[in-house]
Short mmCIF file of all heavy atoms in Angstrom, two decimals:
data_model
loop_
_atom_site.label_atom_id
_atom_site.label_comp_id
_atom_site.label_asym_id
_atom_site.label_seq_id
_atom_site.Cartn_x
_atom_site.Cartn_y
_atom_site.Cartn_z
N GLY A 176 73.39 38.59 15.88
CA GLY A 176 72.30 37.73 16.13
C GLY A 176 70.99 38.08 15.44
O GLY A 176 70.03 37.32 15.52
N PHE A 177 70.95 39.21 14.76
CA PHE A 177 69.75 39.65 14.06
C PHE A 177 69.84 39.31 12.56
O PHE A 177 70.93 39.35 11.97
CB PHE A 177 69.53 41.18 14.22
CG PHE A 177 68.97 41.59 15.54
CD1 PHE A 177 69.65 41.32 16.73
CD2 PHE A 177 67.74 42.21 15.62
CE1 PHE A 177 69.16 41.70 17.95
CE2 PHE A 177 67.20 42.59 16.83
CZ PHE A 177 67.92 42.34 18.00
N THR A 178 68.68 39.03 11.98
CA THR A 178 68.60 38.80 10.51
C THR A 178 67.81 39.93 9.84
O THR A 178 67.80 40.01 8.62
CB THR A 178 67.93 37.46 10.22
OG1 THR A 178 66.65 37.42 10.81
CG2 THR A 178 68.79 36.32 10.71
N ARG A 179 67.17 40.80 10.66
CA ARG A 179 66.38 41.91 10.15
C ARG A 179 66.69 43.17 10.94
O ARG A 179 67.14 43.09 12.08
CB ARG A 179 64.86 41.59 10.21
CG ARG A 179 64.40 40.49 9.31
CD ARG A 179 62.97 40.13 9.61
NE ARG A 179 62.08 41.26 9.58
CZ ARG A 179 61.49 41.74 8.44
NH1 ARG A 179 61.70 41.16 7.30
NH2 ARG A 179 60.68 42.80 8.53
N ALA A 180 66.39 44.30 10.36
CA ALA A 180 66.59 45.56 11.03
C ALA A 180 65.37 45.92 11.90
O ALA A 180 64.75 46.97 11.75
CB ALA A 180 66.85 46.69 10.01
N GLU A 181 65.02 44.98 12.80
CA GLU A 181 63.81 45.14 13.60
C GLU A 181 63.83 46.34 14.52
O GLU A 181 62.78 46.89 14.84
CB GLU A 181 63.58 43.86 14.42
CG GLU A 181 63.35 42.62 13.59
CD GLU A 181 62.00 42.56 12.90
OE1 GLU A 181 61.26 43.54 12.95
OE2 GLU A 181 61.67 41.51 12.33
N TYR A 182 65.00 46.77 14.96
CA TYR A 182 65.03 47.90 15.90
C TYR A 182 64.77 49.27 15.19
O TYR A 182 64.57 50.25 15.86
CB TYR A 182 66.38 47.96 16.59
CG TYR A 182 66.51 46.99 17.78
CD1 TYR A 182 65.56 46.01 18.01
CD2 TYR A 182 67.56 47.09 18.65
CE1 TYR A 182 65.65 45.16 19.12
CE2 TYR A 182 67.69 46.26 19.76
CZ TYR A 182 66.71 45.27 19.96
OH TYR A 182 66.83 44.41 21.03
N MET A 183 64.77 49.25 13.86
CA MET A 183 64.40 50.50 13.16
C MET A 183 62.94 50.80 13.33
O MET A 183 62.51 51.93 13.52
CB MET A 183 64.76 50.36 11.67
CG MET A 183 64.48 51.62 10.85
SD MET A 183 65.76 52.82 11.03
CE MET A 183 65.15 54.17 10.04
N VAL A 184 62.08 49.74 13.28
CA VAL A 184 60.64 49.91 13.43
C VAL A 184 60.18 48.70 14.27
O VAL A 184 60.26 47.57 13.81
CB VAL A 184 59.89 49.91 12.11
CG1 VAL A 184 58.37 50.12 12.39
CG2 VAL A 184 60.43 50.98 11.19
N SER A 185 59.68 48.95 15.46
CA SER A 185 59.22 47.87 16.31
C SER A 185 58.15 48.40 17.26
O SER A 185 57.79 49.58 17.25
CB SER A 185 60.37 47.26 17.12
OG SER A 185 60.76 48.12 18.16
N ALA A 186 57.67 47.55 18.12
CA ALA A 186 56.63 47.93 19.08
C ALA A 186 57.25 48.68 20.25
O ALA A 186 56.51 49.05 21.18
CB ALA A 186 55.86 46.69 19.59
N ASN A 187 58.53 48.92 20.23
CA ASN A 187 59.21 49.79 21.22
C ASN A 187 59.11 51.22 20.67
O ASN A 187 59.86 51.58 19.74
CB ASN A 187 60.63 49.38 21.43
CG ASN A 187 61.30 50.16 22.56
OD1 ASN A 187 61.29 51.38 22.57
ND2 ASN A 187 61.90 49.44 23.51
N LEU A 188 58.20 52.02 21.18
CA LEU A 188 57.89 53.32 20.57
C LEU A 188 59.10 54.25 20.65
O LEU A 188 59.41 54.92 19.65
CB LEU A 188 56.72 53.94 21.33
CG LEU A 188 55.40 53.11 21.28
CD1 LEU A 188 54.31 53.82 22.13
CD2 LEU A 188 54.92 52.99 19.85
N GLY A 189 59.74 54.35 21.82
CA GLY A 189 60.83 55.29 21.95
C GLY A 189 62.04 54.91 21.12
O GLY A 189 62.70 55.78 20.54
N ARG A 190 62.35 53.59 21.02
CA ARG A 190 63.50 53.20 20.22
C ARG A 190 63.28 53.46 18.73
O ARG A 190 64.17 53.85 18.00
CB ARG A 190 63.80 51.71 20.46
CG ARG A 190 65.07 51.22 19.78
CD ARG A 190 65.43 49.81 20.17
NE ARG A 190 64.31 48.91 19.85
CZ ARG A 190 64.04 47.78 20.53
NH1 ARG A 190 64.74 47.47 21.60
NH2 ARG A 190 63.03 47.03 20.17
#
Side-chain angles (χ1 to χ4, degrees):
F177 281 63
T178 57
R179 293 171 54 86
E181 297 287 8
Y182 278 11
M183 182 80 183
V184 182
S185 75
N187 186 308
L188 300 176
R190 187 173 58 210

